[in-house]
Amino acid sequence: MPDIGGDQAAFDKLQAELDIQIDARMADTRRNLLENFDYEVHERLKVYKDQAWTVLTDRQRWLADLARQELGGAAQFFDGWRRFTFSGLPSVDAPPGVYNLDWRDAEARNEHFFRFEHTLAQKIAVTL
């Protein structure tokens, strides 16, 4: 008669070994899937970010060009077109100071973030 207790113990041991291998393989598969998924998603988002940045940069340049035209001598531009000093105008209810089209840079330098929704931008846009 076969030793059922011994067979069961051997089976349990084999099952435990296989469980460890299966768990390790599943963890590797999960990690590989997430790494590849993350890379693909990252690449796709990078393309969208680049496209969005191009559009944003165009809009910022248009806004800077508009400010340069409408503010005349009341604005002195520097750093290319991204920053300017506004000395103020009686007809414009916006504080004098340095205006910056890059919000991160503006925040770091404690400057006014110049965007389409800003009071100064709205005032010069109305004059068109």
Side-chain angles (χ1 to χ4, degrees):
M1 192 167 231
D3 180 18
I4 294 177
D7 288 343
Q8 185 64 40
F11 175 77
D12 290 344
K13 181 181 176 190
L14 178 61
Q15 186 175 12
E17 289 172 3
L18 290 175
D19 281 346
I20 291 170
Q21 290 176 0
I22 290 169
D23 288 344
R25 200 130 196 235
M26 286 180 65
D28 285 343
T29 302
R30 185 179 299 118
R31 186 177 60 251
N32 287 336
L33 176 67
L34 290 176
E35 285 173 359
N36 291 331
F37 178 77
D38 286 347
Y39 176 77
E40 290 172 10
V41 169
H42 176 73
E43 287 301 308
R44 233 180 274 151
L45 290 175
K46 185 178 173 189
V47 168
Y48 294 141
K49 177 186 171 195
D50 291 344
Q51 290 171 348
W53 183 250
T54 299
V55 170
L56 181 60
T57 302
D58 288 344
R59 287 178 51 118
Q60 288 174 322
R61 282 194 185 121
W62 296 333
L63 182 59
D65 288 343
L66 177 65
R68 188 182 315 263
Q69 178 66 34
E70 294 299 318
L71 296 176
Q76 302 300 316
F77 282 80
F78 51 98
D79 280 353
W81 53 268
R82 293 183 186 269
R83 297 173 64 219
F84 64 94
T85 301
F86 175 60
S87 58
L89 287 172
S91 61
V92 178
D93 186 26
V98 178
Y99 285 77
N100 192 327
L101 284 115
D102 180 339
W103 71 267
R104 288 183 185 133
D105 192 41
E107 190 173 284
R109 295 174 187 253
N110 198 28
E111 298 171 345
H112 301 282
F113 173 44
F114 190 57
R115 62 196 181 285
F116 285 101
E117 298 80 16
H118 191 277
T119 307
L120 181 57
Q122 293 295 307
K123 181 64 177 178
I124 62 176
V126 168
T127 63
L128 290 177

